[in-house]
Amino acid sequence: MSDPCSLLTCGEATDRQVALEEYTGGLPRWCPGCGDHAILSGVQRMLESEQVVPERTVFVSGIGCSSRFPHYVKTYGFHGIHGRALPLATGIKLSRPELDVFAVMGDGDCCSIGAGHWIHALRYNVDMVALLLDNNIYGLTKNQSSPTTPQGHPSNTAPDGAWLPALNPLTVTLGVTNASFVAQTADWAPSHLYETLRAAHRHRGFSFVRILQRCPVFTPGIFMEAVRKPERIELLVHDDGVRDEAAEELYEHHVAHDPSDLNEARRLAETSEHIRLGVFHRDPSRPTYETTRRLPVFTAEERIAVLTRELDRHAV
Amino acid sequence: MTSITEASRPDAGNDPRATGTPRSMKTPEHVVEIVSDSGEGAQKCGQIFGAVSAMMGNGVWTVEIIPAEIQPPPRSIGSASGNRVRIGAGPVTNWGDRANLVVAFNEQALLARHRLDAIADDAIVLLEEMWADHDDESIRAEWSAAMEELSAATYRIVRVPMEERCLTVVDDARKGKNMFVLGMLATIYARDAERTKDRIDQALHKKSDDVRRSNRALFDLGAAWAEEHLDFRVDVPTAPNDRPMVVMNGNQALGMGAIASGMDFLAMYPITPATSVSHYLAEAFPRVGGIVHQAEDEIAAVVAAIGASYAGKTAFTVTSGPGLALKTEALGLAVMTETPLVVIDVQRGGPSTGLPTKVEQSDLLAALFGQPGDTPKIVLAPATIEECFHCVVTARQIAEAFRTVVFVLSDANLATGVQPFPRPTPDPRWVATLPDQRPVEEGAKPYGWDERTGLSRRIVPGRPGGAYTTTGLAHDDESKIDYSPAVNEKGCRMRSRKLAVFQQTLNPPPIHGDDEGDLLVVGWGSTKGAIEEAVDRARADGRRVSSTHLTFLSPLEPGLKEMFARFEKVMTVEINYSDRRADPFVTEENRRRGQLCWLLRAQLLVDVDCWTRVHGQPLAPGRIVEAIEDRLGIGAES
């Protein structure tokens, strides 16, 4: 935390070591076998290894299964409304840049009702970690098609199968001006998940991580093959991206991809026979919005002095 | 029969120069309208005239006449754009009835005002004459047709060679004709030329020296032309201001109020007529460390403001009707999470896109009841431009003290109206105190409600020992999700109780007029000046009528029921829709009434009547007098 507190008075600085258990919030109420459990573990492990200060951290979410996330992490949290995690997180970070902000969304939240915010959050490039927990379905409302539901996959709102080709969140993200960090990982690759989260947290800018997430109740089959057949996975490998020995051993297909190469990132992000995990794009040179908009903090007396000059301008 | 004084044509035989000293008309007040095509600068002319009049010690109310488009087709009825400036020997609180002097840059703009019945029968009209002999045959035909239509009126129309004269100074008379007109007005109303030219320089401070010089020259030209050619002057007595005054419009006042209140963060999305608050603040706010965040949409704007407030900053959002509709769900979130938030709604005509640039008071019930579920919040409405300034300070303080949403209901009339008012003396105590960042004390809960008041202390992020998750779901005092009947009942009761507690801090509203009588007129928001002027006129005619004006609409100020009981009849006057009693199929039971009327009937069980209009204009005192007389069984108003 190099940013000075924007409130003039911050809580006492702490250099104590935070233990993993201290990041544990309420008992998760996700279904047994839900990929969110693994993601929560990965996030907590990353928080511990990065020694994120709990009281200076806010987890923001929308609505859906994944959006219960903040309740299960022992930091500050704001469980908001459907689709609006990103503007909420933007308001928090823009006004208090010294806070460490995470936004947790599902595919309905991010890619459907909140899709407008998704595009603009990428463009603002506010320094935060945005996690898309993508299970390809609406879970909490009981099995409706989402924008990322594979075409033909049946749901309660499309019993004969989803009518449209699935939206590819990676190509969308990489198409937005000012996108500065785009990665993909999977709930069933815990070490890769952890490394990706760590890289996302260390990136100064809007770090977008799509996490492929299994829903054992409504979409158990969708990622089944990818889990069972490691040859379906292709790892993007680069020292400026994510290196994870365990994954590199398990998954035989590797692509050496320099995350600074945006055109190649866009090509690799296209839907193909492979599921690609890794960092597609990283551009640390892009300024963050809260830095661009950063202003000094003024005391009440200083504000009144400015206002007095403003009133002078309107005096008659 | 309209008399046309061809003052510009010595050969017409009635050159006022021949008549000697101009006739001076002394009057306690005068209403001037300057109307042009959009983009010809009539508004700038009116604003400067208003400001100079205020400086010289006249009461002033300036209001914009705005088309909805930036550049509507020129010389069309819909393109009339400009200002009405009402000046008076004493304070002026509203735009008045009909114009006494009209300056029109073309005959179509004049026709537009004529058709709206905005011009007094005995008004003097200064009309640009270039169109009469225009090269374009169709324009000449339009001029003739307009003159034919206007011949039924009794105005005195004076033709003025504005274009011809301006071309002696500039190449494009479209840019600068407004200053020529300003010069004419300065002569007619004896405005101080140097002060006026200082104001011209101020208004053009971003332009080049050349532009400022030619505008001053055009001003002198207009002043000299009027001196030479016009046979009348208007004398509205001035009285030097006995205390320092400032002059601005309601949106600027809201913006300055935000600075005075210590606001840190404005998140907004462009919408007429609210946007100019952000125009002002985009320039001034950074000087006090404030951020204007133009969000990607109305929802993102309010949600970002909620985020900023949750994080410990003082935040607000500014919007108008359609934007308010989009913010609905998020406002429910702010109420549920007890996140302080000030929402400024500059109301315009609705429903849907409605009348984007015109005034209405139609968002009252939406502000109170717009959210599904029970969402108690505080709603207040400034009645004057001065109140626009101070109400932001009040709203911010209430929002923080009561951890709730506070609505400020302004409207297009206040937003674009310009009025002088006593200069506020800002106080550092108005500025928000910084949120507590010390470690959270043992046992403190994020919703540690005091059962008697529903109040609780906020724990903002950054405080050690306070990590909790706030949620829009039903929750207990520790902010844990809990759907149990007792917990939900308690949460609703605690959030509602804050309003009852807050109401204890309010006083009954003052009565304008006697404490009892035949009729009490009840208003809210920007109509105060017009209502009180109407009541004064009716009282001068011996009517037993009084008025009261509500600042707080939720909760209502106390003592209303007892006050209403002292009057034979009670009637609200509002700028929103109501069925008229004589309308087909309308009965006492199904009649849809004005919004405040609706609220008062529901809340107080008093048979309150209403008189409302949705004509897209501020109310004129004369029309309110007619409504009062009708309710007293005297006039013929329906």
Side-chain angles (χ1 to χ4, degrees):
Chain A
M1 279 315 96
S2 56
D3 284 317
C5 177
S6 63
L7 292 176
L8 291 173
T9 55
C10 249
E12 289 158 14
T14 170
D15 49 8
R16 72 186 179 89
Q17 188 73 15
V18 188
L20 183 60
E21 309 81 69
E22 292 181 68
Y23 295 104
T24 305
L27 191 67
R29 294 175 59 164
W30 293 309
C31 304
C34 174
D36 289 346
H37 294 285
I39 298 167
L40 177 63
S41 299
V43 167
Q44 286 166 335
R45 204 182 134 204
M46 184 274 288
L47 295 175
E48 193 265 340
S49 73
E50 296 284 291
Q51 281 297 297
V52 168
V53 183
E55 62 264 22
R56 303 256 179 94
T57 303
V58 187
F59 273 79
V60 182
S61 67
I63 293 296
C65 291
S66 57
S67 288
R68 293 297 179 100
F69 208 96
H71 293 279
Y72 309 143
V73 188
K74 188 72 181 154
T75 62
Y76 282 89
F78 200 138
H79 179 198
I81 46 177
H82 196 30
R84 319 300 170 200
L86 290 174
L88 198 53
T90 301
I92 294 169
K93 184 73 182 178
L94 198 50
S95 54
R96 289 199 58 194
E98 70 278 12
L99 297 174
D100 210 343
V101 178
F102 294 79
V104 184
M105 302 165 285
D107 37 312
D109 250 338
C110 178
C111 308
S112 199
I113 191 168
H117 309 308
W118 175 28
I119 288 167
H120 292 278
L122 285 157
R123 190 169 148 254
Y124 296 137
N125 195 38
V126 167
D127 183 19
M128 69 170 86
V129 177
L131 304 178
L132 165 56
L133 277 52
D134 190 353
N135 61 0
N136 293 186
I137 202 80
Y138 285 84
L140 196 62
T141 49
K142 312 286 183 282
N143 197 28
Q144 297 84 24
S145 306
S146 94
T148 58
T149 301
Q151 190 167 26
H153 181 90
S155 74
N156 282 338
T157 44
D160 298 329
W163 302 105
L164 300 169
L167 182 100
N168 180 339
L170 295 174
T171 54
V172 172
T173 305
L174 288 164
V176 178
T177 305
N178 227 21
S180 73
F181 184 102
V182 182
Q184 177 160 277
T185 183
D187 76 47
W188 62 89
S191 58
H192 189 271
L193 171 70
Y194 163 78
E195 291 294 346
T196 308
L197 291 171
R198 206 163 65 130
H201 184 251
R202 291 186 174 184
H203 171 71
R204 195 177 167 85
F206 187 81
S207 307
F208 178 80
V209 183
R210 182 195 188 198
I211 307 175
L212 304 174
Q213 179 234 317
R214 293 167 294 175
C215 172
V217 178
F218 299 122
T219 57
I222 288 180
F223 298 115
M224 185 90 78
E225 204 195 39
V227 175
R228 290 189 180 160
K229 295 182 181 167
E231 61 271 24
R232 281 287 316 280
I233 304 289
E234 191 168 79
L235 283 188
L236 309 187
V237 185
H238 196 275
D239 286 344
D240 288 340
V242 162
R243 297 305 301 262
D244 169 35
E245 273 179 38
E248 285 173 32
E249 208 164 292
L250 177 63
Y251 302 117
E252 60 188 79
H253 297 297
H254 297 181
V255 188
H257 169 61
D258 179 351
S260 67
D261 186 344
L262 183 57
N263 284 333
E264 184 62 6
R266 286 174 176 157
R267 194 188 66 77
L268 289 167
E270 287 297 338
T271 310
S272 75
E273 76 276 17
H274 284 119
I275 291 175
R276 297 193 172 110
L277 306 183
V279 179
F280 286 78
H281 181 54
R282 190 172 78 87
D283 181 356
S285 72
R286 294 189 178 273
T288 67
Y289 192 53
E290 72 276 16
T291 313
T292 307
R293 302 296 309 272
R294 185 90 205 217
L295 292 164
V297 184
F298 292 82
T299 64
E301 287 72 19
E302 289 167 336
R303 287 168 187 254
I304 296 305
V306 171
L307 180 62
T308 301
R309 287 197 293 278
E310 285 299 306
L311 288 167
D312 289 344
R313 284 178 50 205
H314 291 80
V316 289
Chain B
M1 187 54 201
T2 301
S3 68
I4 297 185
T5 308
E6 300 195 335
S8 61
R9 298 184 170 184
D11 60 321
N14 63 345
D15 182 356
R17 278 175 297 190
T19 63
T21 316
R23 178 170 52 97
S24 178
M25 300 184 284
K26 188 163 181 166
T27 170
E29 65 149 302
H30 222 235
V31 177
V32 192
E33 284 195 1
I34 306 130
V35 283
S36 67
D37 274 340
S38 198
E40 285 186 311
Q43 286 180 0
K44 187 154 278 172
C45 171
Q47 284 158 6
I48 296 174
F49 178 70
V52 171
S53 298
M55 267 189 239
M56 295 184 64
N58 277 136
V60 178
W61 185 275
T62 306
V63 65
E64 290 175 14
I65 298 160
I66 327 171
E69 296 85 15
I70 303 296
Q71 293 279 5
R75 293 179 37 77
S76 61
I77 292 293
S79 76
S81 165
N83 271 112
R84 167 182 282 207
V85 188
R86 184 184 183 200
I87 59 174
V92 176
T93 62
N94 64 86
W95 80 333
D97 291 310
R98 295 193 296 172
N100 306 108
L101 177 78
V102 178
V103 186
F105 288 39
N106 67 64
E107 82 289 348
Q108 299 301 313
L110 173 62
L111 207 52
R113 301 307 294 162
H114 167 71
R115 288 181 186 170
L116 282 172
D117 197 22
I119 307 173
D121 296 341
D122 60 352
I124 298 170
V125 176
L126 303 178
L127 176 62
E128 162 71 273
E129 67 169 0
M130 66 179 281
W131 315 105
D133 307 314
H134 200 273
D135 292 343
D136 185 332
E137 190 184 332
S138 62
I139 288 179
R140 291 200 304 275
E142 284 166 7
W143 171 279
S144 302
M147 289 305 130
E148 177 67 27
E149 184 174 340
L150 288 164
S151 68
T154 52
Y155 318 135
R156 179 180 173 220
I157 299 182
V158 180
R159 286 166 57 165
V160 183
M162 298 183 201
E163 178 91 2
E164 184 197 308
R165 299 301 304 146
C166 289
L167 286 176
T168 64
V169 174
V170 288
D171 295 335
D172 180 5
R174 252 180 78 83
K175 299 211 172 76
K177 206 179 273 185
N178 58 341
M179 293 298 127
F180 181 88
V181 171
L182 185 59
M184 290 200 296
L185 294 175
T187 295
I188 295 168
Y189 292 93
R191 303 291 91 155
D192 186 281
E194 283 317 304
R195 283 187 183 188
T196 312
K197 286 197 267 190
D198 285 349
R199 277 274 154 178
I200 294 174
D201 284 348
Q202 263 184 43
L204 301 173
H205 72 280
K206 286 180 181 165
K207 299 285 166 81
S208 69
D209 283 347
D210 277 352
V211 170
R212 276 190 293 276
R213 207 172 302 121
S214 67
N215 275 277
R216 291 167 74 105
L218 287 163
F219 170 84
D220 287 335
L221 194 68
W225 187 89
E227 191 65 48
E228 195 177 346
H229 293 90
L230 293 180
D231 61 355
F232 67 95
R233 302 288 183 269
V234 182
D235 176 14
V236 182
T238 57
N241 298 310
D242 54 0
R243 49 180 169 164
M245 305 287 277
V246 286
V247 63
M248 64 188 77
N249 69 37
N251 278 1
Q252 287 170 325
L254 288 167
M256 277 196 208
I259 294 175
S261 74
M263 284 286 187
D264 297 302
F265 190 83
L266 164 62
M268 49 68 65
Y269 184 78
I271 187 166
T272 304
T275 320
S276 62
V277 177
S278 60
H279 295 179
Y280 170 69
L281 283 177
E283 214 179 305
F285 218 16
R287 295 201 278 274
V288 293
I291 291 177
V292 176
H293 172 53
Q294 181 179 331
E296 60 271 23
D297 60 39
E298 291 278 1
I299 296 172
V302 65
V303 171
I306 292 170
S309 174
Y310 159 78
K313 294 288 186 161
T314 48
F316 71 119
T317 187
V318 178
T319 193
S320 189
L324 179 61
L326 288 164
K327 293 182 192 302
T328 297
E329 186 191 12
L331 292 174
L333 176 71
V335 170
M336 185 60 148
T337 57
E338 305 190 46
T339 309
L341 182 70
V342 174
V343 179
I344 295 176
D345 174 15
V346 185
Q347 300 168 93
R348 67 190 217 184
S352 188
T353 314
L355 302 168
T357 58
K358 296 183 190 299
V359 63
E360 221 167 83
Q361 298 179 303
S362 288
D363 297 351
L364 175 58
L365 296 179
L368 262 80
F369 305 118
Q371 286 70 38
D374 186 52
T375 47
K377 54 189 118 54
I378 289 163
V379 179
L380 62 88
T384 63
I385 290 165
E386 182 179 15
E387 285 183 17
C388 285
F389 177 91
H390 292 282
C391 75
V392 188
V393 180
T394 311
R396 201 274 304 153
Q397 287 172 336
I398 300 167
E400 306 236 319
F402 288 83
R403 284 187 77 171
T404 191
V405 172
V406 180
F407 259 94
V408 172
L409 294 179
S410 181
D411 64 33
N413 184 28
L414 292 172
T416 61
V418 178
Q419 186 191 27
F421 61 87
R423 178 179 172 134
T425 312
D427 188 323
R429 286 171 299 180
W430 293 354
V431 175
T433 51
L434 295 162
D436 195 351
Q437 285 286 283
R438 291 168 301 178
V440 175
E441 52 277 18
E442 199 70 35
K445 295 172 177 174
Y447 298 100
W449 295 298
D450 176 329
E451 297 258 355
R452 260 178 61 79
T453 62
L455 297 173
S456 55
R457 283 185 191 281
R458 206 151 57 108
I459 301 175
V460 307
R463 295 182 68 180
Y468 73 99
T469 293
T470 191
T471 177
L473 288 170
H475 50 264
D476 64 13
D477 54 3
E478 294 183 328
S479 199
K480 296 269 190 304
I481 298 172
D482 194 328
Y483 300 157
S484 67
V487 165
N488 195 48
E489 289 273 5
K490 182 175 180 184
C492 285
R493 210 177 319 116
M494 293 296 97
R495 292 187 292 273
S496 180
R497 189 154 299 168
K498 293 189 286 188
L499 263 65
V501 170
F502 174 68
Q503 202 226 22
Q504 305 301 309
T505 71
L506 301 177
N507 292 319
I511 297 178
H512 182 82
D514 292 336
D515 283 354
E516 55 179 39
D518 294 334
L519 176 66
L520 178 71
V521 175
V522 188
W524 65 284
S526 73
T527 53
K528 184 181 184 183
I531 290 174
E532 292 188 350
E533 187 173 330
V535 165
D536 289 343
R537 287 191 209 170
R539 291 176 64 80
D541 288 343
R543 316 290 180 223
R544 296 183 68 235
V545 56
S546 301
S547 68
T548 191
H549 213 73
L550 306 186
T551 302
F552 285 90
L553 289 318
S554 169
L556 287 170
E557 288 145 9
L560 297 182
K561 194 161 177 145
E562 190 265 332
M563 181 198 296
F564 291 3
R566 297 198 300 267
F567 290 85
E568 201 68 31
K569 290 175 178 172
V570 181
M571 170 180 81
T572 66
V573 167
E574 309 176 60
I575 312 177
N576 53 39
Y577 181 76
S578 64
D579 291 332
R580 302 189 193 187
R581 285 169 301 182
D583 285 351
F585 304 107
V586 167
T587 68
E588 193 56 23
E589 286 183 14
N590 71 12
R591 182 180 173 207
R592 299 180 63 251
R593 296 176 170 85
Q595 299 201 0
L596 177 61
C597 178
W598 194 305
L599 183 66
L600 293 174
R601 291 171 70 93
Q603 199 73 23
L604 305 177
L605 266 181
V606 173
D607 188 7
V608 179
D609 195 1
C610 62
W611 180 86
T612 77
R613 286 293 179 272
V614 280
H615 54 357
Q617 297 171 51
L619 293 178
R623 300 303 309 278
I624 302 173
V625 171
E626 289 168 21
I628 288 170
E629 290 178 344
D630 172 65
R631 288 308 184 271
L632 291 172
I634 302 158
E637 166 74 20
S638 63

